[in-house]
Amino acid sequence: MASRYGDFYPSRWGFPKAVTEGNAPSPQQFMPDYLNDPSFYDKGWHAENVGDGGNFYWVTSPAGYDAGFVVTGDGVVVIDAPPGLGENLQSAIRSVTREPVTHLVYSHWHSDHIGSASQFGPDVKIVAHDITRELLARFPDKYRPLPTETFSTDATLDVGGTKLELSYKGADHCPGNIYIYGPAQKVLTKIDIVSPGSVTFAHCDVSENISGFYQAHDDILSYDFKALIGGHISRWGTREDVEVVREYWHDLLGFAEEALWEMSNAEALQGFVVGLGREHQMVGAENWINSIANYATEKTLTKTTSNGQTWPERLAGATVWTKYHAWTVAETTRTERTHHGYQAEGSGGPAYIA
């Protein structure tokens, strides 16, 4: 079905249209069978029982958003309420139980993951981190009711003897983004860090703290889990999924650091602005940071990785999103990590801009 804008909105100052030529197709392991089932798109949801115990469910939608729920015997605990899944989340719950929803856990405050929370009504208990409540109070949204119970570092939610361990380890994707772990089922929910089988959406999934984003991969691996609910995009994840994508991110970081060092000394910086005049210095600045991103992108996508394949062969979206990730990782390396010193009096010297 064609939209009023066709398949692209062009702009002389904007992004060029992406095409399939030159971009790698998604690896088969990223394409579960239900994506080819018309009933998935007719229903608007797909659910699977995950982990141990038989009572923890992962739910996804054609929009590419995931949620989870746990059947406790004394009510259902829901984890997140993405608007793209909406009331189809209730359909998924009814497909396995008639227990009422008694608790809703917010992974973090972003509307794309909890923007249909109001559907569960005023009596549901909403659990979240202190920062999530603070942000929702500051920026009110009728579709995202304020949490009724919050915590600062660690908490245990116990409903009918079914326990969820809640933990906050610091800002990553955003402040207040928590870990939600079912120890009996060995299911971990950590949203917007790992999109299983993929390199994640652009700019490290628009994360606010990239150092924390990197740390979160290690923190995820510190849990004993059989299934990871990551929030996106086609399937739930395994430990191997996290280990693979962690390797990708560290390759990208290494090449970004290399590019910064190569292109941020005084001589290299002057090369990006030569002949432009002071009135066009921003053109040179764009070429400088984009060149760093291009260097890191090229090195990452052509590297032979630990299993003998390249990243486009291992992860969906590698040829699409890596250039955005490279830009973000390079720029936040400059702002979040050491500069290896600073400019001495006068001009010249090492690459202190990086």
Side-chain angles (χ1 to χ4, degrees):
M1 180 177 65
S3 75
R4 61 185 291 192
Y5 299 115
D7 64 351
F8 189 69
Y9 186 95
S11 169
R12 62 181 290 192
W13 298 284
F15 297 103
K17 180 181 177 181
V19 294
T20 58
E21 291 79 8
N23 280 306
S26 296
Q28 191 56 45
Q29 56 90 6
F30 183 69
M31 305 288 291
D33 291 341
Y34 70 83
L35 291 180
N36 295 315
D37 184 353
S39 67
F40 171 52
Y41 304 94
D42 292 338
K43 287 196 309 181
W45 62 273
H46 171 80
E48 294 181 20
N49 183 261
V50 293
D52 295 335
N55 66 336
F56 208 129
Y57 293 83
W58 162 82
V59 189
T60 193
S61 65
Y65 279 87
D66 301 345
F69 66 91
V70 188
V71 181
T72 71
D74 279 352
V76 177
V77 179
V78 175
I79 302 171
D80 281 354
L85 188 55
E87 293 181 357
N88 287 326
L89 178 53
Q90 295 192 54
S91 297
I93 294 169
R94 287 196 304 270
S95 74
V96 298
T97 184
R98 291 295 172 177
E99 292 180 25
V101 174
T102 58
H103 293 75
L104 173 61
V105 181
Y106 287 168
S107 64
H108 62 303
W109 80 289
H110 288 169
S111 181
D112 63 326
H113 285 280
I114 63 168
S116 68
S118 61
Q119 68 177 294
F120 294 109
D123 296 328
V124 68
K125 295 178 181 179
I126 302 177
V127 184
H129 190 263
D130 292 338
I131 295 173
T132 296
R133 192 186 197 286
E134 175 189 333
L135 288 165
L136 290 172
R138 182 181 176 189
F139 305 107
D141 177 2
K142 67 179 181 180
Y143 299 111
R144 290 177 286 169
L146 290 179
T148 57
E149 303 174 18
T150 63
F151 70 99
S152 60
T153 304
D154 296 290
T156 298
L157 176 61
D158 187 331
V159 181
T162 296
K163 296 181 180 181
L164 292 177
E165 297 176 356
L166 313 180
S167 181
Y168 182 59
K169 304 181 187 300
D172 41 55
H173 174 65
C174 72
N177 191 24
I178 63 174
Y179 294 78
I180 306 158
Y181 179 59
Q185 303 88 354
K186 294 188 177 180
V187 177
L188 176 65
T189 302
K190 178 62 175 175
I191 301 299
D192 284 340
I193 301 297
V194 174
S195 297
S198 168
V199 301
T200 79
F201 190 64
H203 299 292
C204 308
D205 211 351
V206 202
S207 292
E208 298 177 40
N209 187 312
I210 305 305
S211 296
F213 176 86
Y214 268 82
Q215 179 187 332
H217 290 76
D218 293 330
D219 288 336
I220 289 171
L221 289 170
S222 74
Y223 284 86
D224 178 17
F225 67 92
K226 290 187 175 180
L228 172 73
I229 298 176
H232 301 278
I233 180 171
S234 292
R235 60 178 181 83
W236 54 271
T238 65
R239 188 173 194 85
E240 182 182 6
D241 288 320
V242 183
E243 291 169 341
V244 168
V245 79
R246 181 188 182 279
E247 180 186 344
Y248 164 85
W249 286 111
H250 280 273
D251 278 352
L252 184 60
L253 176 60
F255 289 128
E257 290 174 333
E258 188 176 294
L260 281 163
W261 194 255
E262 288 282 332
M263 300 184 193
S264 297
N265 58 67
E267 180 183 4
L269 288 168
Q270 285 300 312
F272 287 107
V273 298
V274 66
L276 292 177
R278 293 301 305 176
E279 69 273 21
H280 289 303
Q281 293 293 291
M282 292 301 101
V283 174
E286 182 180 20
N287 285 335
W288 166 70
I289 191 65
N290 286 352
S291 293
I292 288 169
N294 284 347
Y295 179 105
T297 299
E298 181 74 16
K299 295 284 188 177
T300 300
L301 295 184
T302 57
K303 178 182 177 180
T304 300
T305 70
S306 62
N307 76 341
Q309 295 179 302
T310 62
W311 286 121
E313 293 173 315
R314 297 182 73 181
L315 291 171
T319 57
V320 174
W321 301 124
T322 297
K323 57 185 175 291
Y324 299 98
H325 298 326
W327 196 102
T328 295
V329 169
E331 180 60 13
T332 56
T333 295
R334 296 179 59 248
T335 58
E336 295 179 3
R337 300 173 188 264
T338 182
H339 270 216
H340 309 289
Y342 48 84
Q343 177 65 56
E345 290 189 27
S347 60
Y352 290 135
I353 286 179

